[in-house]
Amino acid sequence: MSTIRDARSDRGTRTEVDVPAGDQGFHVSNLEIERIFFEARNAYLGAIEIDDLWHQPVIPQVRELTTRFDAEVTGGTALTCTTRVVSRSRRAFVMEQALVDSARATLSATCRSVHVTVGEEGAVEIPDDLWASIELYDGGPIPNLDTSHGQPAG
């Protein structure tokens, strides 16, 4: 299991990750890389200014997850994971993450996730307070895409 520490960056968060040295020299499993992304996503969402986010009437849930493994990671490697929200629509937002080998400054893996806001009745529009908190935490306005046209909304 790795340890993670979050820090704010100019946009989104930067998470420092220490892969255990006990596995030094051995390949870190893709499942462990996914867990690092999972923990960084949850740290990001847990840090926005919404009290008890996971017990609100409308919560973000992962609808789609795409991970690309670009380079092997071995035990004992220091990694940096950046996490930020890059776009939104009425009912969903897209989060992108990058995992970089800190010493070599090389990309190890990327993850793109689509989060849908869900209430009791299913997918609902992103509440204004949730969106304002995400933009405040992420460091500024995030493009709002009209899903029917694929163009930024005005």
Side-chain angles (χ1 to χ4, degrees):
M1 181 167 284
S2 61
T3 58
I4 65 171
R5 294 173 303 287
D6 276 351
R8 297 288 297 126
S9 64
D10 55 340
R11 291 302 302 245
T13 61
R14 183 170 288 115
T15 304
E16 302 300 325
V17 182
D18 295 322
V19 179
D23 296 332
Q24 195 162 9
F26 291 96
H27 173 77
V28 174
S29 73
N30 291 350
L31 184 57
E32 176 67 12
I33 299 298
E34 290 287 1
R35 192 186 62 70
I36 291 168
F37 283 138
F38 171 81
E39 288 181 2
R41 275 192 307 275
N42 282 345
Y44 179 103
L45 292 171
I48 64 173
E49 297 291 323
I50 298 285
D51 289 332
D52 200 13
L53 174 65
W54 303 115
H55 293 97
Q56 296 294 318
V58 175
I59 60 171
Q61 292 188 357
V62 173
R63 180 175 81 191
E64 180 181 321
L65 194 63
T66 304
T67 303
R68 178 183 167 111
F69 304 97
D70 293 300
E72 184 173 6
V73 175
T74 57
T77 302
L79 303 168
T80 301
C81 180
T82 56
T83 303
R84 66 178 298 228
V85 175
V86 296
S87 66
R88 69 165 286 191
S89 67
R90 290 181 312 115
R91 297 181 179 188
F93 59 89
V94 176
M95 184 178 280
E96 290 184 352
Q97 298 174 279
L99 195 60
V100 173
D101 181 314
S102 301
R104 295 187 288 175
T106 56
L107 186 63
S108 298
T110 58
C111 183
R112 180 179 171 93
S113 53
V114 177
H115 301 255
V116 135
T117 45
V118 178
E120 287 184 16
E121 63 278 7
V124 297
E125 291 197 19
I126 299 171
D128 291 339
D129 64 334
L130 174 59
W131 193 250
S133 295
I134 288 173
E135 285 191 320
L136 178 66
Y137 186 71
D138 205 77
I142 296 166
N144 183 351
L145 303 179
D146 178 337
T147 58
S148 63
H149 300 98
Q151 300 296 317

